[in-house]
Amino acid sequence: MQPRTPLLCVLLSQVLMLTSAEGLDCTPGFQQKVFYIDQPAEFIKDQAILNLTFSDCKGNDKLRYEVSSPYFKVNNDGSLVALRNITAVGKTLFVHARTPHAEDMAELVIVGGKDIQGSLQDIFKFARTSPVPRQKRSIVVSPILIPENQRQPFPRDVGKVVDSDRPEGSKFRLTGKGVDQEPKGIFRINENTGSVSVTRTLDRETIATYQLFVETTDVNGKTLEGPVPLEVIVIDQNDNRPIFREGPYIGHVMEGSPTGTTVMRMTAFDADDPATDNALLRYNIRQQTPDKPSPNMFYIDPEKGDIVTVVSPALLDRETLENPKYELIIEAQDMAGLDVGLTGTATATIMIDDKNDHSPKFTKKEFQATVEEGAVGVIVNLTVEDKDDPTTGAWRAAYTIINGNPGQSFEIHTNPQTNEGMLSVVKPLDYEISAFHTLLIKVENEDPLVPDVSYGPSSTATVHITVLDVNEGPVFYPDPMMVTKRENISVGSVLLTVNATDPDSLQHQTIRYSVYKDPAGWLNINPINGTVDTRAVLDRESPFVHNSVYTALFLAIDSGNPPATGTGTLLITLEDVNDNAPFIYPTVAEVCDDAKNLSVVILGASDKDLHPNTDPFKFEIHKQAVPDKVWKISKINNTHALVSLFQNLNKANYHLPIMVTDSGKPPMTNITDLRVQVCSCKNSKVDCNAAGDLHSSVTSVLLLSLFSLACLINQRQQDYKRTDQVCENS
């Protein structure tokens, strides 16, 4: 294939040749900086595409060329050829030429058929920035292309600025990021010749382009022309390895998955220029561990990084694999996978996940168990086998009793550590009712089976249970036993006859009774026939009685060896009898000797008995014991009354007998002394200390009370009129 050069490039070359013919000094570098190549249907291997001309002005000794694409090379004579047949290249190639004395960069623009218009625009752009004299501006600059990672020596010239109309004595000045702005000092310009040089190695991954500005100044530093932008482009070198940055990489695939199932995606990052092959990655699997049953269990898409299965579903069987975990060493290589590309690796861990393709099976068809009657708890562990993953619901067992448990006496639960079925008795068994039980147990998995697998006969088992006879204690019936009696019944009264039976109906045993708990010591029981009678008076108001109910416990002991004991409860409800007199409260009161309000105290009454043996209460002052016209008592309600005075009393202590009567039949009466303290109340101070003995009137009251009591007694023995006369004379 013959190279084809656009017409404008030929014109530019002629301009350059004319410029050189005018006697300019030899300038090291490419004689042409930019080449335009029409994209053919295919670049043919080893066929010259174009010729590049480079000169270091010293004979080109040890000249070397480097091409930015691995698909091309430049021969020693400057001819560009393809290393293999190529149909697609990209938009731009760069050729770097180097000798011990000089180096330069040429740009090769690939012009596609549908991109010709854009390419022509690029050509004219280049023409505008090429060192051709212009009318409006004398400073002419071209973009400077510098490969990254250049080696010593530094500084080295990388380009040149031309000013065709520069006045004598004027100087070039370079500014911008990389010159007088951070990072400072990377570039500088020869103020006299316009040569631009770089002072150190550049890193494209740090800064890919530098935007500089060139201007000319007079001897005083005043700008004559400019500033004109000068772009420095750092050409990428393949100096960064691919890196896997998102690990750890863990994928899962279900066992039995069809061939071609995607497991996961692995992607690497390359810091080089993504527009070049330096960052064009290709993936491959370097190693698979373990390598059974096939060394090629998986495949990775070289461009996308998708890992897929390549073995048949039958080989992807978790239960037959040595290890359900595979580790793949994944390699990413830049330069589109060519040998010259840099590589990076990462480990992909792939887990073969279990699915429920094995049903659980009992280790044997029949299990035996024994249990004592009356006992509860686990009686046997049922063992099963399951080939599925023990960490999943495909392995965990769920047990069900499907026959033989009508009374719900048995339950079965799964041991989470061993997967065994723990069969338990939850309701005590009775040997006399049934000495044998037979259960049918079914086992399933928590997760449903896959469609082509089902539960077989080995997923059921029979459990034979033998109940052992034990000597059971007698049972009271009913329990608790209840009886209602009036309190204060006579000692020796029969309350009831208890009844206890022996559950061991197949054994002939006798039963004896005894008192177990009798807190008040009120009861007896006949040890032979169980008759319960009283040994003391029953008192509903006893502290051993709660809510009118007295509780006692009895024992029934059989004649077995060893004997067994049963306990029965007796609840005695005691009916109330009016056997408690009411009492008043409070029993002490205070009143001022000059009080305007003659009310003394409000009295309340209480009774330990129950209705109707309590309120309404009747309150009275024992009038035969106190003088009239001094004290008064008035009813407030059924349980309270007001004590008041008819007149103020002198400072002293007074005793007032209060008589209170309940509503029982017959009623009960209680007389209680109310102590009334008449106090001196002056200047907000209360003094209730009585001087000396009781007030004389109190003494008279006491004597009168004693005499009145004597009169009451004599009333029942002597003639009413005589006693009444005596009382009046007194």
Side-chain angles (χ1 to χ4, degrees):
M1 182 187 72
Q2 297 298 325
R4 293 177 292 174
T5 306
L7 176 61
L8 186 57
C9 291
V10 175
L11 294 175
L12 291 173
S13 299
Q14 292 175 353
V15 172
L16 290 173
M17 291 174 63
L18 290 173
T19 304
S20 176
E22 292 176 355
L24 296 177
D25 293 338
C26 177
T27 300
F30 283 103
Q31 299 306 304
Q32 183 176 335
K33 300 291 187 180
V34 180
F35 295 83
Y36 294 88
I37 305 170
D38 291 334
Q39 170 74 59
E42 185 175 34
F43 289 99
I44 306 302
K45 178 180 179 182
D46 295 332
Q47 192 174 85
I49 300 170
L50 58 80
N51 291 317
L52 301 106
T53 303
F54 174 86
S55 175
D56 66 354
C57 300
K58 292 187 179 182
N60 285 352
D61 184 37
K62 298 182 180 179
L63 173 61
R64 293 178 53 198
Y65 292 100
E66 295 177 353
V67 184
S68 62
S69 172
Y71 305 125
F72 297 89
K73 73 175 181 177
V74 177
N75 294 323
N76 292 336
D77 60 0
S79 59
L80 175 69
V81 298
L83 295 175
R84 58 184 176 87
N85 294 347
I86 305 171
T87 57
V89 175
K91 295 294 184 183
T92 306
L93 300 178
F94 296 98
V95 178
H96 180 218
R98 176 187 300 166
T99 73
H101 305 289
E103 63 177 303
D104 198 7
M105 183 77 70
E107 181 180 6
L108 312 181
V109 179
I110 310 298
V111 181
K114 60 182 179 181
D115 296 325
I116 293 177
Q117 184 66 31
S119 300
L120 290 176
Q121 293 175 359
D122 292 338
I123 294 172
F124 287 114
K125 177 181 177 182
F126 169 76
R128 289 196 299 270
T129 58
S130 62
V132 178
R134 300 177 53 192
Q135 295 179 355
K136 293 184 179 181
R137 189 176 66 192
S138 60
I139 297 178
V140 178
V141 296
S142 297
I144 297 175
L145 308 177
I146 305 175
E148 65 174 336
N149 304 323
Q150 287 182 313
R151 297 189 294 271
Q152 294 284 356
F154 290 104
R156 62 172 68 197
D157 291 340
V158 292
K160 190 171 184 179
V161 178
V162 177
D163 188 349
S164 59
D165 296 332
R166 183 163 63 96
E168 185 176 353
S170 63
K171 298 180 180 180
F172 290 102
R173 181 162 62 194
L174 187 65
T175 60
K177 181 179 179 181
V179 182
D180 56 349
Q181 300 175 22
E182 293 295 340
K184 296 180 179 180
I186 296 178
F187 303 100
R188 62 191 183 191
I189 191 170
N190 187 308
E191 61 183 12
N192 296 317
T193 65
S195 293
V196 179
S197 60
V198 64
T199 62
R200 58 179 180 263
T201 299
L202 301 182
D203 183 4
R204 190 203 68 85
E205 286 71 47
T206 302
I207 301 177
T209 61
Y210 296 85
Q211 191 67 41
L212 309 181
F213 297 92
V214 180
E215 58 186 349
T216 56
T217 65
D218 61 15
V219 293
N220 296 321
K222 182 179 179 181
T223 300
L224 298 176
E225 185 178 355
V228 176
L230 170 60
E231 186 177 25
V232 178
I233 302 172
V234 183
I235 304 304
D236 187 43
Q237 302 291 318
N238 192 19
D239 59 344
N240 288 278
R241 294 182 178 274
I243 299 174
F244 291 90
R245 301 190 299 185
E246 300 176 357
Y249 297 91
I250 301 176
H252 294 265
V253 61
M254 188 70 69
E255 64 171 331
S257 295
T259 303
T261 299
T262 300
V263 180
M264 60 192 300
R265 172 170 288 189
M266 298 276 290
T267 55
F269 168 78
D270 195 311
D272 290 321
D273 188 353
T276 68
D277 287 349
N278 295 336
L280 184 58
L281 305 182
R282 294 293 182 264
Y283 301 93
N284 70 89
I285 300 175
R286 290 281 301 274
Q287 181 180 333
Q288 171 191 301
T289 305
D291 59 357
K292 303 292 190 228
S294 169
N296 299 306
M297 299 284 291
F298 306 94
Y299 165 79
I300 187 168
D301 186 302
E303 296 183 1
K304 297 180 181 179
D306 290 337
I307 299 176
V308 300
T309 61
V310 294
V311 294
S312 66
L315 288 180
L316 206 63
D317 185 357
R318 197 198 66 85
E319 286 74 37
T320 61
L321 297 176
E322 289 184 6
N323 190 339
K325 180 174 74 172
Y326 285 88
E327 290 190 350
L328 307 180
I329 305 299
I330 305 299
E331 178 184 74
Q333 187 171 28
D334 60 21
M335 300 301 292
L338 293 180
D339 292 341
V340 296
L342 302 177
T343 62
T345 60
T347 300
T349 301
I350 299 177
M351 306 297 299
I352 311 301
D353 291 338
D354 187 39
K355 63 181 179 181
N356 197 8
D357 55 352
H358 294 86
S359 62
K361 299 179 180 179
F362 283 102
T363 57
K364 51 187 178 180
K365 292 298 296 180
E366 295 185 349
F367 294 85
Q368 305 292 330
T370 57
V371 58
E372 291 184 348
E373 65 172 330
V376 294
V378 178
I379 58 174
V380 66
N381 291 313
L382 311 181
T383 54
V384 295
E385 293 179 345
D386 196 316
K387 295 181 180 180
D388 291 313
D389 185 356
T391 64
T392 66
W395 177 81
R396 291 190 291 270
Y399 297 87
T400 306
I401 302 173
I402 59 177
N403 195 14
N405 190 27
Q408 306 301 311
S409 299
F410 302 93
E411 286 184 0
I412 187 165
H413 300 281
T414 304
N415 186 318
Q417 282 74 40
T418 64
N419 218 28
E420 295 176 345
M422 301 181 295
L423 182 63
S424 304
V425 176
V426 293
K427 293 182 180 179
L429 304 177
D430 191 340
Y431 172 83
E432 283 71 30
I433 295 177
S434 177
F436 301 97
H437 296 268
T438 301
L439 305 180
L440 184 61
I441 310 293
K442 178 179 69 174
V443 62
E444 297 175 313
N445 288 132
E446 289 184 2
D447 292 349
L449 295 172
V450 296
D452 55 342
V453 177
S454 60
Y455 295 103
S458 56
S459 293
T460 60
T462 302
V463 182
H464 299 285
I465 302 166
T466 301
V467 182
L468 303 178
D469 187 27
V470 296
N471 186 24
E472 301 172 85
V475 178
F476 284 87
Y477 183 83
D479 190 25
M481 301 161 282
M482 292 181 285
V483 66
T484 300
K485 296 292 181 181
R486 290 174 61 87
E487 65 174 333
N488 300 336
I489 60 175
S490 60
V491 175
S493 298
V494 175
L495 300 181
L496 81 165
T497 298
V498 301
N499 179 37
T501 58
D502 194 336
D504 300 305
S505 57
L506 302 181
Q507 304 177 27
H508 300 286
Q509 299 182 134
T510 59
I511 296 176
R512 295 182 63 83
Y513 300 96
S514 65
V515 177
Y516 179 41
K517 287 185 179 180
D518 179 17
W522 290 343
L523 307 176
N524 286 318
I525 189 169
N526 188 302
I528 305 300
N529 60 22
T531 299
V532 179
D533 59 7
T534 62
R535 56 184 293 189
V537 175
L538 306 183
D539 183 7
R540 193 198 65 84
E541 290 75 35
S542 168
F544 299 107
V545 177
H546 301 283
N547 297 323
S548 301
V549 177
Y550 180 71
T551 302
L553 301 180
F554 297 95
L555 297 180
I557 306 170
D558 65 19
S559 58
N561 186 18
T565 301
T567 304
T569 302
L570 173 61
L571 303 178
I572 305 174
T573 300
L574 295 174
E575 296 179 341
D576 187 41
V577 173
N578 193 21
D579 57 349
N580 289 276
F583 57 90
I584 65 168
Y585 58 89
T587 59
V588 177
E590 293 180 355
V591 64
C592 294
D593 57 359
D594 58 352
K596 295 180 180 181
N597 182 1
L598 297 181
S599 297
V600 177
V601 66
I602 294 177
L603 296 179
S606 182
D607 195 316
K608 293 182 180 180
D609 293 318
L610 299 176
H611 285 289
N613 297 322
T614 56
D615 61 88
F617 298 112
K618 180 180 179 182
F619 295 89
E620 299 176 278
I621 297 175
H622 202 303
K623 295 183 178 181
Q624 294 177 335
V626 296
D628 293 335
K629 306 298 183 179
V630 176
W631 305 95
K632 180 176 69 172
I633 190 165
S634 305
K635 179 180 178 181
I636 297 177
N637 54 32
N638 289 345
T639 57
H640 290 78
L642 173 65
V643 176
S644 58
L645 290 167
F646 284 109
Q647 62 186 29
N648 291 112
L649 298 178
N650 294 330
K651 178 181 177 181
N653 291 332
Y654 298 88
H655 290 271
L656 182 64
I658 302 297
M659 183 166 61
V660 59
T661 306
D662 62 24
S663 297
K665 294 181 180 180
M668 294 197 70
T669 299
N670 182 27
I671 299 176
T672 303
D673 275 350
L674 172 65
R675 181 187 176 192
V676 180
Q677 295 177 295
V678 179
C679 308
S680 174
C681 305
K682 295 181 179 181
N683 299 325
S684 301
K685 293 183 179 180
V686 179
D687 181 11
C688 296
N689 294 322
D693 295 333
L694 292 174
H695 193 273
S696 59
S697 62
V698 177
T699 304
S700 301
V701 169
L702 290 175
L703 292 175
L704 186 60
S705 298
L706 292 173
F707 189 75
S708 297
L709 289 175
C711 290
L712 289 173
I713 296 173
N714 290 334
Q715 272 183 328
R716 298 178 182 178
Q717 299 177 354
Q718 301 178 5
D719 182 72
Y720 172 80
K721 293 183 179 180
R722 288 185 58 193
T723 305
D724 183 64
Q725 184 179 1
V726 173
C727 291
E728 290 179 353
N729 293 335
S730 63

